[in-house]
Amino acid sequence: ELGICSLAVCLEDAVRPEHRKSAAAALSRTLSMLEDVPRSIFIRPADVADMEWLIEHLPLDHVSGFILPKATVAKIHLWVERSAGLHTILPIMESREALDPIGRRELAQACAAHPPLIPGARIGANDLLALLGGLRRPPGCTIYQTPVGRVIDELLEAFSAHSVRLCGPVFDRTKDLDTFMGEIKEDINRGLFAKTAVTPVQASLIWDCYRPTAAELEEAEGVLEPDAPAVFALNGGMLERPCHSAWARKLMW
C-alpha cells in the first residue's frame, strides 16, 4: 500500500536558533540507533555550516540528502561544492530571487547545472507570502487564490524550460481537507510532480489525488500506442500524439 515516500527533518525554521545544535545532535544519536531506514530521509539544515557538521556527524548511509532552504543561485552552487558532489540537494524556492523574473531563470539554470545531484526543487509558499508584505494564507483559500499563485505559474515557466521538476508547497491549514484537495488538483493541473504533507492524513489524500483515473490511463496508453493515428478521439476528447505524448509518458511513469 502506498504511504510515506520520504521524510523531511527540519533543523531550520522548525527549531529555535539556540536549539539547533542540540536538535542536530539528537538527530545524529537517533539515526545511529536505527539498524535500517525504511524511508528516504532528507535533512533540512539552517545553513551550509550546519550541513557540513551533519555530514561529519550523521550516519550518512541513513540519509538520502539535504534540503536547501531559501535557495539562491549562490547557495545552490555552494552547497553542491561543500557536499563534494556526493549528496542529493533539494532546493526550496522561497527567496527574493524566486520573486524576480530574472532570478527565477537563474535559479532554474543553477538547478539544471547539477544533475543528478538536484533531481527537483520545492516551492516554499509560506516564506514567499512573508516576503510579499507579511501575508499568510487566508482560511478556505488555495495558494492559487493568493499572490503566490502567480509566482508559482512563473516558476513553472522558468523551470520547465530546463526540465527541472517542481514540488508543490505545503498546505498548513491542516483541518481544511476540502481546500487541501482542491489545491492538489490545481498542483496536478499545473504539472507539479509532488506535494509535501505535514500530517499522515494529508499524505493519504495526496496519493488519492495523484492516482490517475482509468480514463486517463486509457488515453495515455492510446497516445503511446505505436500504431495510433496522429489525431484521434477517445472518451469524448481529441488526442494529438505530437502534443500529448509528453503528458502520456509522464502519467505512465
Side-chain angles (χ1 to χ4, degrees):
E1 184 179 353
L2 298 174
I4 305 299
C5 290
S6 61
L7 297 172
V9 180
C10 181
L11 300 175
E12 189 224 8
D13 285 347
V15 181
R16 291 179 62 90
E18 63 268 28
H19 297 155
R20 284 173 181 160
K21 289 298 184 185
S22 61
L27 174 63
S28 179
R29 291 192 299 271
T30 300
L31 290 178
S32 297
M33 291 187 292
L34 299 178
E35 293 185 3
D36 60 84
V37 179
R39 301 287 184 270
S40 300
I41 295 179
F42 291 87
I43 313 300
R44 174 173 167 166
D47 53 38
V48 71
D50 285 354
M51 180 188 70
E52 290 176 319
W53 187 93
L54 292 166
I55 289 173
E56 289 293 324
H57 293 87
L58 289 181
L60 293 178
D61 56 324
H62 287 358
V63 176
S64 297
F66 296 95
I67 298 169
L68 166 52
K70 300 169 181 60
T72 64
V73 171
K75 285 182 180 180
I76 290 170
H77 295 309
L78 177 63
W79 281 48
V80 170
E81 175 191 345
R82 295 293 180 85
S83 68
L86 299 175
H87 306 285
T88 298
I89 305 293
L90 299 176
I92 305 182
M93 301 298 111
E94 54 186 1
S95 68
R96 283 282 175 195
E97 288 183 9
L99 297 177
D100 176 73
I102 295 175
R104 286 190 284 269
R105 292 197 295 271
E106 291 177 345
L107 284 166
Q109 291 167 354
C111 290
H114 300 289
L117 296 177
I118 300 180
R122 186 170 74 77
I123 299 164
N126 285 336
D127 278 272
L128 292 176
L129 283 168
L131 291 173
L132 291 169
L135 303 177
R136 192 192 170 190
R137 177 199 296 267
C141 290
T142 71
I143 200 63
Y144 302 103
Q145 295 171 290
T146 76
V148 172
R150 171 188 59 82
V151 178
I152 292 175
D153 288 341
E154 293 179 358
L155 281 167
L156 282 161
E157 181 179 355
F159 278 68
S160 64
H162 295 276
S163 300
V164 178
R165 302 185 302 168
L166 286 174
C167 172
V170 164
F171 186 92
D172 61 1
R173 301 283 185 179
T174 57
K175 298 296 184 182
D176 186 357
L177 299 180
D178 289 337
T179 305
F180 175 62
M181 293 182 69
E183 180 167 303
I184 298 172
K185 292 174 182 177
E186 292 285 351
D187 293 342
I188 294 170
N189 290 341
R190 284 167 167 79
L192 295 174
F193 80 94
K195 187 82 164 173
T196 301
V198 294
T199 70
V201 172
Q202 283 190 347
S204 174
L205 293 176
I206 290 169
W207 279 116
D208 289 342
C209 291
Y210 266 89
R211 185 177 289 108
T213 66
E216 288 172 330
L217 290 172
E218 182 185 15
E219 291 168 8
E221 290 169 351
V223 168
L224 298 177
E225 174 61 43
D227 297 327
V231 179
F232 62 96
L234 183 62
N235 295 332
M238 183 181 75
L239 293 165
E240 301 178 71
R241 283 175 57 86
C243 299
H244 295 136
S245 291
W247 164 81
R249 285 192 295 270
K250 184 169 66 173
L251 188 80
M252 299 295 291
W253 175 68

